[in-house]
Amino acid sequence: MFHRLGHFVVRRAWWVIGAWLIAAVAIIGSAPALTTNTDQAAFLPKHYESIQAADVQQKAFPSDKSPSALLLFERTDGAALDANDQAAMDKVTQGLADKKIPLVEQVLPVSDQTGSYSKDHKYAMALVAIDKSKMQQPEYTDAAKKIREDGKELAAGSNLKFQVGGDAATALDQKESSDKAGILIGLGTVVIILLTLGIIFRSPIVALLPVVSVIIYSLVATGLIGFASDWFGLKADSSMSQILTVVLYGVGTDYFLFLMFRYRERLRAGDNRKEAVANAVGRVGEAITSAAGAVVVAFAVLVLSSLGMFKALGPSLAIAVGVTALASVTLVPAILCLIPQKVLFWPSKAWQREPSNARFAAIGRTVGRRPAGAALVSGLVMVGLAIAALGYQGTFDMAGSAMPKDKESMVVQNTMIKAYSAGAADPAHILLTSQNGNKIDVAGLQGYVNDLGKVDGVAAAALPTPDRGISKDGLTVDVTVVLKDQSTTNKAIDTIGKVRTVAHDEAPAGTKAYVAGTTSVLKDINTAMAHDYSLVFPIAAVLIMIILGLLLRSVVAPWYLMASVGLGFGATLGATTLVFQDFKGESGLMFMLPILIYLFVVAIGTDYNILMIARLREEAREGRSPREAASQAIRHGGPTVAAAGFILAATFGTMLLAGNTMMSEMGFSIAIGIIIAAFVMSMFFTPALTALLGRRAWWPGHGDVKGHGEEPTQLVGTTMPPEPVGRH
């Protein structure tokens, strides 16, 4: 099939290029723009308690102006706030209220009666309510920016330092940080690709080719993702654009290298330009599409996730990789066959002669002679790193991890934790609702509130006041519970579980309790993640194994290939745990990191396994013994895997430029996972095991026997002589 596709592309090259350009213009011109969602609750299904609680809260208190921003005041000299400072703070809060900033509903002043002051009186906070129905609109963060700018102007000339934190300010800082990170990652990725390909091929045109190609088909991919997000209501988080950039350029360059190395090899074997392109597509097209199929399946399985962020991320990346694979066997070959090789490889002439590949030949000989030792050593490296994964701890502070620590909203958050109870800035809410139509006796809830206050990890629990926390019909009341720990910590999540138990079990007769708030949402996300681990992981593994079985016509090979990838996953998580938890001292890794590592390392790591095992099978079909086939596969396939692995790892490594913990953890973990997949798993472990198993690796098929599953390599209408055995 791929030989026929290669023939079609070289004969209709301009048609193929024109079709891609027309598709890019048409799709991007009509596709809806990609939007992101920063509301964690929006990522959960409706059956979780925190979402049900939010619905109850909205219905019972539709006009409740819950704070979206925190105004933090302190003296510039660090002294306690006095009466003059109170007057200055009143000037700021009243001035902000008078400005009638769009979406700002209420500015509550600093007051001793409302607990605005810290215990040492060095800090004071005021609360600002912003219309939360506009949370995902630019106007929401614009309001936070205006509050920040106007508040600083109003505080000028006083002894006060004024800062803005809270949800709206966090969303503003996160957006600005994300935009900056996107630019850095995009530029870093392109520079790495240009430099690396320039060094490998010593040609500026070859270096530019994948970048130009990606620009064309990324427009198609982005447009299709926009349509899919719009049609199916997918909700992406703020990291989507950066991940898409890296995947499109990284995976696109990978597949370009798969094709380019084989194209150059066919030129050296004596093919003319069009023959070389067609034969390159014919020989690696199956490996590219199978590798892409594994990635697409792994990502697409995320539609089964309970979390909206993964439901959006998975299909989006699946679309991106699918488009990349299609372009790699159509658009890229069409461009290649139109460029004379002397122009393509200019100014280098090294493409005309086959290098000795001395390093990879030496590695191949070592693995071929001592496959047991190679498998043991590479396996022990992965097992050793995987043991460190036992120390993994998850953390849920997405806002704090998504931007640098010196951002104003993060400074406010950390100051609030030190100055007040750590959970004071973001308390939990127990929504007690009547089930029998009778109004709730608020005074009679004191015992219930006392029980909540006694829960280990709770700092305080308070009854609602007559003017706040009681619905108009008297059928719902809001009991505020302040936790001792910050709302996003694991301790707070453990505490909220205990709070739920007491809230449900001790609820007065005729009422039902719902626990709302950030910590309650994170508790449900934690539960949803456990569900996803038990569902997504095994389904993705089974589907990838089926793809491997179909590619290799084997039942045996997929098992040890997936086992090696599983070791790679454990080693990746272990290495990341060592670097960020043990060396850097982070309290934990982002909670979604294991599933991202699994998907990227399993899917993309399988790419290199597929490329190497496909080359090994090709060498075996030439009549070589299993050990010699492994040796030759490493010699000829090693440079491709090494180059592709290095570029893809480096492109993911550009996420470290984002300057925030979440992107740094993601970039490092996927980069190290790809390095392990390319340089440990595919270069040593997989070929060594295949050499040890011999022909049993292909059971029950005959994948290593010439003639089984092969297509002729000649172009229709040509009289190409058969390639001599051993010539590559």
Side-chain angles (χ1 to χ4, degrees), residues 278-291:
N279 284 327
V281 173
R283 292 186 176 230
V284 299
E286 187 178 29
I288 288 174
T289 52
S290 298

Side-chain angles (χ1 to χ4, degrees), residues 298-534:
F299 289 154
V301 169
L302 284 180
V303 298
L304 302 175
S305 171
S306 301
L307 297 173
M309 69 180 81
F310 290 133
K311 281 183 180 291
L313 181 64
S316 298
L317 296 181
I319 291 169
V321 173
V323 171
T324 300
L326 181 61
S328 299
V329 294
T330 55
L331 175 63
V332 176
I335 296 172
L336 278 179
C337 78
L338 294 175
I339 305 174
Q341 52 264 46
K342 290 183 180 180
V343 175
L344 178 67
F345 292 105
W346 180 87
S348 173
K349 296 182 179 180
W351 64 272
Q352 296 174 337
R353 58 187 181 277
E354 182 181 355
S356 62
N357 286 339
R359 283 199 198 101
F360 295 100
I363 293 171
R365 286 194 298 271
T366 300
V367 173
R369 289 171 185 169
R370 300 180 181 84
L376 181 63
V377 172
S378 55
L380 286 175
V381 169
M382 291 190 286
V383 169
L385 288 172
I387 291 172
L390 298 174
Y392 163 78
Q393 293 288 330
T395 182
F396 292 83
D397 185 10
M398 288 185 67
S401 298
M403 67 186 95
K405 303 297 183 186
D406 59 354
K407 284 289 187 180
E408 187 169 317
S409 58
M410 291 297 97
V411 173
V412 170
Q413 177 180 293
N414 293 330
T415 303
M416 292 286 294
I417 291 170
K418 295 173 185 176
Y420 299 82
S421 168
D426 194 1
H429 297 270
I430 314 299
L431 299 165
L432 208 59
T433 64
S434 173
Q435 300 294 291
N436 55 19
N438 296 328
K439 291 186 177 181
I440 296 176
D441 177 14
V442 176
L445 295 177
Q446 189 60 59
Y448 180 67
V449 172
N450 291 341
D451 289 338
L452 290 168
K454 293 175 184 176
V455 174
D456 185 28
V458 171
L463 282 169
T465 59
D467 61 338
R468 188 175 179 83
I470 303 174
S471 64
K472 289 183 178 180
D473 58 12
L475 299 178
T476 303
V477 299
D478 181 351
V479 176
T480 302
V481 175
V482 177
L483 306 182
K484 291 179 180 178
D485 301 291
Q486 185 186 344
S487 62
T488 57
T489 61
N490 288 325
K491 286 184 177 179
I493 293 169
D494 290 340
T495 299
I496 211 69
K498 301 171 191 173
V499 169
R500 280 184 176 180
T501 300
V502 173
H504 297 159
D505 294 348
E506 303 301 325
T511 66
K512 184 175 182 179
Y514 298 87
V515 181
T518 300
T519 311
S520 185
V521 170
L522 296 179
K523 175 71 174 175
D524 288 337
I525 287 178
N526 197 21
T527 303
M529 285 296 298
H531 165 270
D532 289 353
Y533 288 146
S534 63

Side-chain angles (χ1 to χ4, degrees), residues 115-400:
S116 297
Y117 284 95
S118 62
K119 290 180 181 179
D120 59 9
H121 235 255
K122 290 185 177 181
Y123 299 93
M125 65 174 174
L127 304 179
V128 180
I130 304 174
D131 184 358
K132 287 194 172 183
S133 68
K134 307 291 186 183
M135 278 185 72
Q136 305 310 319
Q137 302 300 321
E139 294 88 343
Y140 186 74
T141 51
D142 289 345
K145 186 174 183 179
K146 185 68 173 169
I147 291 168
R148 212 174 247 175
E149 293 170 349
D150 291 353
K152 283 180 169 59
E153 286 182 10
L154 290 165
S158 70
N159 294 320
L160 295 176
K161 180 181 179 182
F162 170 85
Q163 296 179 98
V164 182
D167 290 345
T170 298
L172 171 64
D173 290 340
Q174 198 168 330
K175 179 179 180 297
E176 291 176 350
S177 180
S178 178
D179 292 344
K180 180 182 176 182
I183 294 171
L184 289 173
I185 289 170
L187 288 175
T189 297
V190 171
V191 168
I192 286 169
I193 291 171
L194 291 175
L195 286 177
T196 309
L197 291 181
I199 291 169
I200 292 173
F201 293 98
R202 303 171 194 172
S203 163
I205 296 177
V206 174
L208 281 168
L209 196 54
V211 175
V212 173
S213 303
V214 170
I215 290 172
I216 296 172
Y217 62 74
S218 67
L219 295 175
V220 176
T222 304
L224 292 176
I225 292 167
F227 280 123
S229 299
D230 186 52
W231 293 341
F232 300 106
L234 302 177
K235 298 171 182 176
D237 77 342
S238 58
S239 64
M240 170 73 86
S241 59
Q242 291 98 314
I243 297 175
L244 271 177
T245 298
V246 172
V247 167
L248 283 164
Y249 278 98
V251 175
T253 304
D254 256 16
Y255 296 161
F256 173 80
L257 285 170
F258 288 7
L259 185 72
M260 195 67 194
F261 271 97
R262 186 52 71 98
Y263 170 59
R264 188 176 65 179
E265 186 178 318
R266 295 308 309 164
L267 289 174
R268 289 168 177 166
D271 292 358
N272 64 41
R273 185 172 74 246
K274 292 190 176 183
E275 289 171 347
V277 170
N279 284 327
V281 173
R283 292 186 176 230
V284 299
E286 187 178 29
I288 288 174
T289 52
S290 298
V295 179
V296 168
V297 162
F299 289 154
V301 169
L302 284 180
V303 298
L304 302 175
S305 171
S306 301
L307 297 173
M309 69 180 81
F310 290 133
K311 281 183 180 291
L313 181 64
S316 298
L317 296 181
I319 291 169
V321 173
V323 171
T324 300
L326 181 61
S328 299
V329 294
T330 55
L331 175 63
V332 176
I335 296 172
L336 278 179
C337 78
L338 294 175
I339 305 174
Q341 52 264 46
K342 290 183 180 180
V343 175
L344 178 67
F345 292 105
W346 180 87
S348 173
K349 296 182 179 180
W351 64 272
Q352 296 174 337
R353 58 187 181 277
E354 182 181 355
S356 62
N357 286 339
R359 283 199 198 101
F360 295 100
I363 293 171
R365 286 194 298 271
T366 300
V367 173
R369 289 171 185 169
R370 300 180 181 84
L376 181 63
V377 172
S378 55
L380 286 175
V381 169
M382 291 190 286
V383 169
L385 288 172
I387 291 172
L390 298 174
Y392 163 78
Q393 293 288 330
T395 182
F396 292 83
D397 185 10
M398 288 185 67

